[in-house]
Amino acid sequence: MKKPILDKAEVALEYPDKFYSGTFERSSRFEAAFDAVGVGLVLERPGDPDVRKSVHLHVNYGLLADIFAQLAATAGRIPVDEPHREMLIERVAALHHAVKAR
């Protein structure tokens, strides 16, 4: 089940001879879910073939844990007046509770 993106995501993919970038905003949708070995994330912008795009990312648990550690180490950079700050706090707490309960 894909959910609407309420904010914005930017993606860049760089190869030695190619560069791809894209933005996913309110007209786009996302899906994120845990599986047996990690977490999958899909960002999808529907529409005509010339504007339609999607990004699929899978991150294994070990790397995901390292990403969380790095995010924790840099969380002080989030401005105090960031409008989504409370949402981040609530969602991280919900994830913590869900993982612990399992």
Side-chain angles (χ1 to χ4, degrees):
M1 172 174 65
K2 295 208 171 55
K3 298 180 57 101
I5 292 178
L6 300 178
D7 199 357
K8 181 179 176 181
E10 296 176 13
V11 176
L13 185 58
E14 188 173 350
Y15 289 97
D17 59 339
K18 295 179 185 169
F19 180 79
Y20 301 97
S21 68
T23 302
F24 297 85
E25 299 186 59
R26 293 180 186 270
S27 62
S28 300
R29 303 182 74 70
F30 80 97
E31 184 174 1
F34 286 105
D35 62 28
V37 296
V39 64
L41 173 65
V42 177
L43 302 173
E44 187 175 80
R45 182 168 135 188
D48 294 330
D50 59 329
V51 297
R52 179 178 37 218
K53 59 187 165 192
S54 68
V55 171
H56 300 249
L57 178 68
H58 189 273
V59 178
N60 283 15
Y61 290 130
L63 176 55
L64 184 62
D66 284 345
I67 290 169
F68 286 153
Q70 190 164 4
L71 289 171
T74 60
R77 297 179 189 166
I78 300 171
V80 175
D81 60 346
E82 162 57 47
H84 299 100
R85 186 181 178 93
E86 282 303 313
M87 182 190 293
L88 281 169
I89 292 167
E90 291 169 9
R91 301 305 198 276
V92 168
L95 176 61
H96 177 257
H97 179 75
V99 172
K100 281 269 273 206
R102 187 73 174 131

mmCIF file of all heavy atoms in Angstrom, residues 30-73:
data_model
loop_
_atom_site.group_PDB
_atom_site.id
_atom_site.type_symbol
_atom_site.label_atom_id
_atom_site.label_comp_id
_atom_site.label_asym_id
_atom_site.label_seq_id
_atom_site.Cartn_x
_atom_site.Cartn_y
_atom_site.Cartn_z
ATOM 1 N N PHE A 30 4.821 6.867 -1.534
ATOM 2 C CA PHE A 30 5.948 6.074 -1.049
ATOM 3 C C PHE A 30 5.446 4.828 -0.355
ATOM 4 O O PHE A 30 4.290 4.728 0.057
ATOM 5 C CB PHE A 30 6.837 6.886 -0.096
ATOM 6 C CG PHE A 30 6.305 6.980 1.312
ATOM 7 C CD1 PHE A 30 6.761 6.117 2.295
ATOM 8 C CD2 PHE A 30 5.351 7.918 1.643
ATOM 9 C CE1 PHE A 30 6.263 6.194 3.584
ATOM 10 C CE2 PHE A 30 4.857 8.019 2.926
ATOM 11 C CZ PHE A 30 5.307 7.147 3.902
ATOM 12 N N GLU A 31 6.346 3.872 -0.220
ATOM 13 C CA GLU A 31 6.089 2.664 0.545
ATOM 14 C C GLU A 31 7.379 2.311 1.265
ATOM 15 O O GLU A 31 8.458 2.357 0.671
ATOM 16 C CB GLU A 31 5.671 1.532 -0.390
ATOM 17 C CG GLU A 31 5.289 0.263 0.310
ATOM 18 C CD GLU A 31 4.732 -0.790 -0.648
ATOM 19 O OE1 GLU A 31 4.672 -0.536 -1.860
ATOM 20 O OE2 GLU A 31 4.371 -1.864 -0.167
ATOM 21 N N ALA A 32 7.283 1.980 2.533
ATOM 22 C CA ALA A 32 8.434 1.562 3.322
ATOM 23 C C ALA A 32 8.012 0.389 4.184
ATOM 24 O O ALA A 32 6.937 0.419 4.789
ATOM 25 C CB ALA A 32 8.936 2.707 4.197
ATOM 26 N N ALA A 33 8.851 -0.651 4.219
ATOM 27 C CA ALA A 33 8.495 -1.829 5.007
ATOM 28 C C ALA A 33 9.742 -2.623 5.368
ATOM 29 O O ALA A 33 10.705 -2.683 4.601
ATOM 30 C CB ALA A 33 7.535 -2.716 4.217
ATOM 31 N N PHE A 34 9.692 -3.220 6.551
ATOM 32 C CA PHE A 34 10.728 -4.157 6.963
ATOM 33 C C PHE A 34 10.451 -5.505 6.317
ATOM 34 O O PHE A 34 9.301 -5.864 6.068
ATOM 35 C CB PHE A 34 10.728 -4.330 8.490
ATOM 36 C CG PHE A 34 11.292 -3.150 9.229
ATOM 37 C CD1 PHE A 34 10.457 -2.279 9.901
ATOM 38 C CD2 PHE A 34 12.660 -2.927 9.255
ATOM 39 C CE1 PHE A 34 10.971 -1.191 10.590
ATOM 40 C CE2 PHE A 34 13.190 -1.838 9.943
ATOM 41 C CZ PHE A 34 12.348 -0.975 10.607
ATOM 42 N N ASP A 35 11.523 -6.255 6.047
ATOM 43 C CA ASP A 35 11.394 -7.638 5.606
ATOM 44 C C ASP A 35 12.371 -8.479 6.418
ATOM 45 O O ASP A 35 12.877 -8.015 7.437
ATOM 46 C CB ASP A 35 11.597 -7.768 4.085
ATOM 47 C CG ASP A 35 12.979 -7.340 3.617
ATOM 48 O OD1 ASP A 35 13.954 -7.431 4.398
ATOM 49 O OD2 ASP A 35 13.105 -6.920 2.450
ATOM 50 N N ALA A 36 12.644 -9.687 5.996
ATOM 51 C CA ALA A 36 13.469 -10.605 6.779
ATOM 52 C C ALA A 36 14.911 -10.131 6.963
ATOM 53 O O ALA A 36 15.558 -10.501 7.946
ATOM 54 C CB ALA A 36 13.458 -11.991 6.142
ATOM 55 N N VAL A 37 15.428 -9.303 6.056
ATOM 56 C CA VAL A 37 16.847 -8.923 6.128
ATOM 57 C C VAL A 37 17.099 -7.422 6.193
ATOM 58 O O VAL A 37 18.235 -6.990 6.329
ATOM 59 C CB VAL A 37 17.658 -9.534 4.958
ATOM 60 C CG1 VAL A 37 17.674 -11.042 5.037
ATOM 61 C CG2 VAL A 37 17.120 -9.059 3.627
ATOM 62 N N GLY A 38 16.059 -6.611 6.072
ATOM 63 C CA GLY A 38 16.287 -5.166 6.091
ATOM 64 C C GLY A 38 15.004 -4.398 5.851
ATOM 65 O O GLY A 38 13.910 -4.839 6.207
ATOM 66 N N VAL A 39 15.158 -3.245 5.230
ATOM 67 C CA VAL A 39 14.018 -2.372 4.964
ATOM 68 C C VAL A 39 14.027 -1.965 3.492
ATOM 69 O O VAL A 39 15.080 -1.718 2.910
ATOM 70 C CB VAL A 39 14.026 -1.129 5.890
ATOM 71 C CG1 VAL A 39 15.223 -0.238 5.633
ATOM 72 C CG2 VAL A 39 12.751 -0.328 5.766
ATOM 73 N N GLY A 40 12.844 -1.939 2.914
ATOM 74 C CA GLY A 40 12.694 -1.497 1.532
ATOM 75 C C GLY A 40 11.969 -0.163 1.498
ATOM 76 O O GLY A 40 11.074 0.090 2.311
ATOM 77 N N LEU A 41 12.367 0.682 0.573
ATOM 78 C CA LEU A 41 11.741 1.980 0.381
ATOM 79 C C LEU A 41 11.497 2.170 -1.107
ATOM 80 O O LEU A 41 12.402 1.965 -1.923
ATOM 81 C CB LEU A 41 12.644 3.109 0.906
ATOM 82 C CG LEU A 41 12.188 4.536 0.618
ATOM 83 C CD1 LEU A 41 10.878 4.861 1.322
ATOM 84 C CD2 LEU A 41 13.275 5.523 1.039
ATOM 85 N N VAL A 42 10.279 2.562 -1.460
ATOM 86 C CA VAL A 42 9.926 2.864 -2.848
ATOM 87 C C VAL A 42 9.351 4.271 -2.875
ATOM 88 O O VAL A 42 8.448 4.596 -2.105
ATOM 89 C CB VAL A 42 8.879 1.867 -3.408
ATOM 90 C CG1 VAL A 42 8.478 2.255 -4.830
ATOM 91 C CG2 VAL A 42 9.406 0.451 -3.364
ATOM 92 N N LEU A 43 9.900 5.114 -3.735
ATOM 93 C CA LEU A 43 9.349 6.437 -4.023
ATOM 94 C C LEU A 43 8.828 6.371 -5.441
ATOM 95 O O LEU A 43 9.533 5.906 -6.338
ATOM 96 C CB LEU A 43 10.422 7.522 -3.913
ATOM 97 C CG LEU A 43 11.151 7.649 -2.585
ATOM 98 C CD1 LEU A 43 12.284 8.659 -2.703
ATOM 99 C CD2 LEU A 43 10.193 8.034 -1.486
ATOM 100 N N GLU A 44 7.606 6.826 -5.650
ATOM 101 C CA GLU A 44 7.000 6.676 -6.969
ATOM 102 C C GLU A 44 6.245 7.943 -7.360
ATOM 103 O O GLU A 44 5.427 8.446 -6.591
ATOM 104 C CB GLU A 44 6.030 5.495 -6.919
ATOM 105 C CG GLU A 44 5.442 5.113 -8.236
ATOM 106 C CD GLU A 44 4.595 3.867 -8.079
ATOM 107 O OE1 GLU A 44 3.440 3.999 -7.629
ATOM 108 O OE2 GLU A 44 5.096 2.774 -8.380
ATOM 109 N N ARG A 45 6.561 8.453 -8.531
ATOM 110 C CA ARG A 45 5.820 9.585 -9.090
ATOM 111 C C ARG A 45 5.036 9.068 -10.287
ATOM 112 O O ARG A 45 5.621 8.678 -11.294
ATOM 113 C CB ARG A 45 6.773 10.696 -9.519
ATOM 114 C CG ARG A 45 6.028 11.917 -10.051
ATOM 115 C CD ARG A 45 6.975 13.065 -10.192
ATOM 116 N NE ARG A 45 6.766 13.710 -11.472
ATOM 117 C CZ ARG A 45 7.542 14.651 -11.957
ATOM 118 N NH1 ARG A 45 8.606 15.032 -11.284
ATOM 119 N NH2 ARG A 45 7.278 15.196 -13.107
ATOM 120 N N PRO A 46 3.710 9.027 -10.187
ATOM 121 C CA PRO A 46 2.901 8.532 -11.302
ATOM 122 C C PRO A 46 2.766 9.580 -12.397
ATOM 123 O O PRO A 46 3.170 10.726 -12.228
ATOM 124 C CB PRO A 46 1.545 8.248 -10.643
ATOM 125 C CG PRO A 46 1.486 9.204 -9.503
ATOM 126 C CD PRO A 46 2.909 9.409 -9.042
ATOM 127 N N GLY A 47 2.190 9.173 -13.486
ATOM 128 C CA GLY A 47 1.931 10.121 -14.565
ATOM 129 C C GLY A 47 2.277 9.553 -15.922
ATOM 130 O O GLY A 47 2.519 8.365 -16.089
ATOM 131 N N ASP A 48 2.308 10.444 -16.891
ATOM 132 C CA ASP A 48 2.653 10.065 -18.252
ATOM 133 C C ASP A 48 4.085 9.531 -18.300
ATOM 134 O O ASP A 48 4.909 9.869 -17.443
ATOM 135 C CB ASP A 48 2.530 11.273 -19.183
ATOM 136 C CG ASP A 48 1.086 11.750 -19.317
ATOM 137 O OD1 ASP A 48 0.175 10.900 -19.203
ATOM 138 O OD2 ASP A 48 0.876 12.968 -19.522
ATOM 139 N N PRO A 49 4.402 8.731 -19.297
ATOM 140 C CA PRO A 49 5.740 8.141 -19.385
ATOM 141 C C PRO A 49 6.890 9.147 -19.327
ATOM 142 O O PRO A 49 7.959 8.824 -18.829
ATOM 143 C CB PRO A 49 5.719 7.417 -20.735
ATOM 144 C CG PRO A 49 4.286 7.089 -20.957
ATOM 145 C CD PRO A 49 3.517 8.229 -20.354
ATOM 146 N N ASP A 50 6.664 10.367 -19.779
ATOM 147 C CA ASP A 50 7.764 11.348 -19.773
ATOM 148 C C ASP A 50 8.015 11.962 -18.396
ATOM 149 O O ASP A 50 9.057 12.587 -18.187
ATOM 150 C CB ASP A 50 7.517 12.440 -20.816
ATOM 151 C CG ASP A 50 6.221 13.194 -20.596
ATOM 152 O OD1 ASP A 50 5.254 12.595 -20.081
ATOM 153 O OD2 ASP A 50 6.172 14.385 -20.956
ATOM 154 N N VAL A 51 7.108 11.789 -17.438
ATOM 155 C CA VAL A 51 7.312 12.330 -16.083
ATOM 156 C C VAL A 51 7.300 11.243 -15.014
ATOM 157 O O VAL A 51 7.751 11.475 -13.891
ATOM 158 C CB VAL A 51 6.260 13.410 -15.713
ATOM 159 C CG1 VAL A 51 6.377 14.603 -16.632
ATOM 160 C CG2 VAL A 51 4.864 12.852 -15.701
ATOM 161 N N ARG A 52 6.812 10.072 -15.345
ATOM 162 C CA ARG A 52 6.731 8.969 -14.378
ATOM 163 C C ARG A 52 8.131 8.506 -14.005
ATOM 164 O O ARG A 52 9.023 8.420 -14.845
ATOM 165 C CB ARG A 52 5.932 7.835 -15.017
ATOM 166 C CG ARG A 52 5.779 6.627 -14.157
ATOM 167 C CD ARG A 52 4.941 5.549 -14.797
ATOM 168 N NE ARG A 52 5.164 5.450 -16.233
ATOM 169 C CZ ARG A 52 4.223 5.202 -17.123
ATOM 170 N NH1 ARG A 52 2.982 5.031 -16.753
ATOM 171 N NH2 ARG A 52 4.509 5.107 -18.404
ATOM 172 N N LYS A 53 8.323 8.220 -12.702
ATOM 173 C CA LYS A 53 9.617 7.709 -12.252
ATOM 174 C C LYS A 53 9.440 7.007 -10.923
ATOM 175 O O LYS A 53 8.463 7.229 -10.209
ATOM 176 C CB LYS A 53 10.652 8.827 -12.135
ATOM 177 C CG LYS A 53 10.278 9.934 -11.178
ATOM 178 C CD LYS A 53 11.274 11.073 -11.265
ATOM 179 C CE LYS A 53 10.712 12.310 -10.599
ATOM 180 N NZ LYS A 53 11.474 13.487 -10.884
ATOM 181 N N SER A 54 10.402 6.146 -10.595
ATOM 182 C CA SER A 54 10.388 5.488 -9.295
ATOM 183 C C SER A 54 11.810 5.176 -8.868
ATOM 184 O O SER A 54 12.711 5.026 -9.692
ATOM 185 C CB SER A 54 9.542 4.218 -9.331
ATOM 186 O OG SER A 54 10.137 3.239 -10.139
ATOM 187 N N VAL A 55 11.975 5.089 -7.558
ATOM 188 C CA VAL A 55 13.246 4.716 -6.950
ATOM 189 C C VAL A 55 12.947 3.597 -5.965
ATOM 190 O O VAL A 55 12.012 3.706 -5.163
ATOM 191 C CB VAL A 55 13.898 5.907 -6.210
ATOM 192 C CG1 VAL A 55 15.102 5.463 -5.413
ATOM 193 C CG2 VAL A 55 14.276 6.998 -7.186
ATOM 194 N N HIS A 56 13.719 2.520 -6.035
ATOM 195 C CA HIS A 56 13.575 1.383 -5.127
ATOM 196 C C HIS A 56 14.908 1.235 -4.390
ATOM 197 O O HIS A 56 15.956 1.157 -5.031
ATOM 198 C CB HIS A 56 13.274 0.099 -5.896
ATOM 199 C CG HIS A 56 12.011 0.176 -6.695
ATOM 200 N ND1 HIS A 56 10.898 -0.547 -6.376
ATOM 201 C CD2 HIS A 56 11.686 0.908 -7.792
ATOM 202 C CE1 HIS A 56 9.928 -0.274 -7.239
ATOM 203 N NE2 HIS A 56 10.396 0.607 -8.120
ATOM 204 N N LEU A 57 14.846 1.191 -3.079
ATOM 205 C CA LEU A 57 16.057 1.083 -2.260
ATOM 206 C C LEU A 57 15.840 0.007 -1.216
ATOM 207 O O LEU A 57 14.772 -0.051 -0.592
ATOM 208 C CB LEU A 57 16.333 2.434 -1.578
ATOM 209 C CG LEU A 57 17.517 2.529 -0.639
ATOM 210 C CD1 LEU A 57 18.825 2.395 -1.415
ATOM 211 C CD2 LEU A 57 17.489 3.849 0.105
ATOM 212 N N HIS A 58 16.826 -0.859 -1.025
ATOM 213 C CA HIS A 58 16.776 -1.859 0.035
ATOM 214 C C HIS A 58 18.049 -1.733 0.850
ATOM 215 O O HIS A 58 19.152 -1.687 0.298
ATOM 216 C CB HIS A 58 16.649 -3.279 -0.527
ATOM 217 C CG HIS A 58 16.387 -4.276 0.547
ATOM 218 N ND1 HIS A 58 17.392 -4.874 1.259
ATOM 219 C CD2 HIS A 58 15.223 -4.732 1.065
ATOM 220 C CE1 HIS A 58 16.862 -5.673 2.161
ATOM 221 N NE2 HIS A 58 15.533 -5.611 2.057
ATOM 222 N N VAL A 59 17.899 -1.651 2.170
ATOM 223 C CA VAL A 59 19.041 -1.492 3.080
ATOM 224 C C VAL A 59 18.975 -2.619 4.117
ATOM 225 O O VAL A 59 17.950 -2.767 4.804
ATOM 226 C CB VAL A 59 18.992 -0.112 3.786
ATOM 227 C CG1 VAL A 59 20.141 0.027 4.756
ATOM 228 C CG2 VAL A 59 19.011 1.012 2.760
ATOM 229 N N ASN A 60 20.037 -3.407 4.219
ATOM 230 C CA ASN A 60 20.082 -4.473 5.213
ATOM 231 C C ASN A 60 20.196 -3.885 6.620
ATOM 232 O O ASN A 60 20.622 -2.747 6.809
ATOM 233 C CB ASN A 60 21.242 -5.422 4.925
ATOM 234 C CG ASN A 60 20.939 -6.365 3.778
ATOM 235 O OD1 ASN A 60 19.998 -6.170 3.016
ATOM 236 N ND2 ASN A 60 21.753 -7.393 3.633
ATOM 237 N N TYR A 61 19.814 -4.705 7.613
ATOM 238 C CA TYR A 61 19.732 -4.230 8.996
ATOM 239 C C TYR A 61 21.032 -3.634 9.532
ATOM 240 O O TYR A 61 21.007 -2.637 10.248
ATOM 241 C CB TYR A 61 19.274 -5.356 9.924
ATOM 242 C CG TYR A 61 17.832 -5.742 9.726
ATOM 243 C CD1 TYR A 61 17.464 -7.067 9.567
ATOM 244 C CD2 TYR A 61 16.832 -4.779 9.688
ATOM 245 C CE1 TYR A 61 16.139 -7.429 9.387
ATOM 246 C CE2 TYR A 61 15.510 -5.131 9.497
ATOM 247 C CZ TYR A 61 15.166 -6.457 9.361
ATOM 248 O OH TYR A 61 13.860 -6.805 9.177
ATOM 249 N N GLY A 62 22.175 -4.235 9.221
ATOM 250 C CA GLY A 62 23.448 -3.710 9.726
ATOM 251 C C GLY A 62 23.710 -2.295 9.246
ATOM 252 O O GLY A 62 24.093 -1.421 10.028
ATOM 253 N N LEU A 63 23.520 -2.060 7.948
ATOM 254 C CA LEU A 63 23.707 -0.713 7.412
ATOM 255 C C LEU A 63 22.653 0.231 7.976
ATOM 256 O O LEU A 63 22.961 1.378 8.321
ATOM 257 C CB LEU A 63 23.655 -0.724 5.882
ATOM 258 C CG LEU A 63 23.748 0.642 5.196
ATOM 259 C CD1 LEU A 63 24.994 1.410 5.619
ATOM 260 C CD2 LEU A 63 23.680 0.482 3.689
ATOM 261 N N LEU A 64 21.412 -0.233 8.102
ATOM 262 C CA LEU A 64 20.356 0.601 8.663
ATOM 263 C C LEU A 64 20.711 1.040 10.086
ATOM 264 O O LEU A 64 20.534 2.208 10.446
ATOM 265 C CB LEU A 64 19.022 -0.144 8.644
ATOM 266 C CG LEU A 64 17.806 0.640 9.102
ATOM 267 C CD1 LEU A 64 17.555 1.846 8.202
ATOM 268 C CD2 LEU A 64 16.579 -0.266 9.131
ATOM 269 N N ALA A 65 21.253 0.131 10.881
ATOM 270 C CA ALA A 65 21.678 0.474 12.239
ATOM 271 C C ALA A 65 22.782 1.533 12.209
ATOM 272 O O ALA A 65 22.762 2.484 13.004
ATOM 273 C CB ALA A 65 22.149 -0.777 12.983
ATOM 274 N N ASP A 66 23.737 1.395 11.291
ATOM 275 C CA ASP A 66 24.798 2.404 11.158
ATOM 276 C C ASP A 66 24.233 3.748 10.708
ATOM 277 O O ASP A 66 24.681 4.801 11.159
ATOM 278 C CB ASP A 66 25.867 1.937 10.167
ATOM 279 C CG ASP A 66 26.785 0.876 10.742
ATOM 280 O OD1 ASP A 66 26.800 0.693 11.979
ATOM 281 O OD2 ASP A 66 27.494 0.221 9.948
ATOM 282 N N ILE A 67 23.248 3.729 9.822
ATOM 283 C CA ILE A 67 22.598 4.973 9.386
ATOM 284 C C ILE A 67 21.919 5.643 10.569
ATOM 285 O O ILE A 67 22.055 6.851 10.778
ATOM 286 C CB ILE A 67 21.601 4.693 8.239
ATOM 287 C CG1 ILE A 67 22.351 4.305 6.960
ATOM 288 C CG2 ILE A 67 20.699 5.912 7.996
ATOM 289 C CD1 ILE A 67 21.458 3.750 5.860
ATOM 290 N N PHE A 68 21.189 4.850 11.381
ATOM 291 C CA PHE A 68 20.539 5.414 12.572
ATOM 292 C C PHE A 68 21.567 6.020 13.523
ATOM 293 O O PHE A 68 21.335 7.078 14.103
ATOM 294 C CB PHE A 68 19.713 4.357 13.301
ATOM 295 C CG PHE A 68 18.428 3.987 12.612
ATOM 296 C CD1 PHE A 68 17.882 2.735 12.806
ATOM 297 C CD2 PHE A 68 17.749 4.865 11.777
ATOM 298 C CE1 PHE A 68 16.679 2.363 12.199
ATOM 299 C CE2 PHE A 68 16.565 4.516 11.152
ATOM 300 C CZ PHE A 68 16.026 3.262 11.372
ATOM 301 N N ALA A 69 22.705 5.355 13.699
ATOM 302 C CA ALA A 69 23.751 5.882 14.588
ATOM 303 C C ALA A 69 24.283 7.218 14.065
ATOM 304 O O ALA A 69 24.484 8.157 14.848
ATOM 305 C CB ALA A 69 24.888 4.865 14.729
ATOM 306 N N GLN A 70 24.512 7.308 12.774
ATOM 307 C CA GLN A 70 25.007 8.560 12.210
ATOM 308 C C GLN A 70 23.955 9.655 12.305
ATOM 309 O O GLN A 70 24.267 10.815 12.578
ATOM 310 C CB GLN A 70 25.457 8.363 10.771
ATOM 311 C CG GLN A 70 26.189 9.569 10.240
ATOM 312 C CD GLN A 70 26.982 9.281 8.986
ATOM 313 O OE1 GLN A 70 26.944 8.173 8.447
ATOM 314 N NE2 GLN A 70 27.699 10.266 8.510
ATOM 315 N N LEU A 71 22.690 9.300 12.091
ATOM 316 C CA LEU A 71 21.615 10.282 12.249
ATOM 317 C C LEU A 71 21.545 10.773 13.699
ATOM 318 O O LEU A 71 21.374 11.974 13.944
ATOM 319 C CB LEU A 71 20.271 9.690 11.816
ATOM 320 C CG LEU A 71 20.102 9.470 10.320
ATOM 321 C CD1 LEU A 71 18.821 8.686 10.045
ATOM 322 C CD2 LEU A 71 20.104 10.790 9.561
ATOM 323 N N ALA A 72 21.690 9.858 14.652
ATOM 324 C CA ALA A 72 21.673 10.249 16.069
ATOM 325 C C ALA A 72 22.814 11.209 16.375
ATOM 326 O O ALA A 72 22.641 12.188 17.112
ATOM 327 C CB ALA A 72 21.748 9.014 16.963
ATOM 328 N N ALA A 73 23.973 10.947 15.787
ATOM 329 C CA ALA A 73 25.139 11.794 16.038
ATOM 330 C C ALA A 73 24.989 13.191 15.444
ATOM 331 O O ALA A 73 25.633 14.134 15.899
ATOM 332 C CB ALA A 73 26.405 11.122 15.487
#
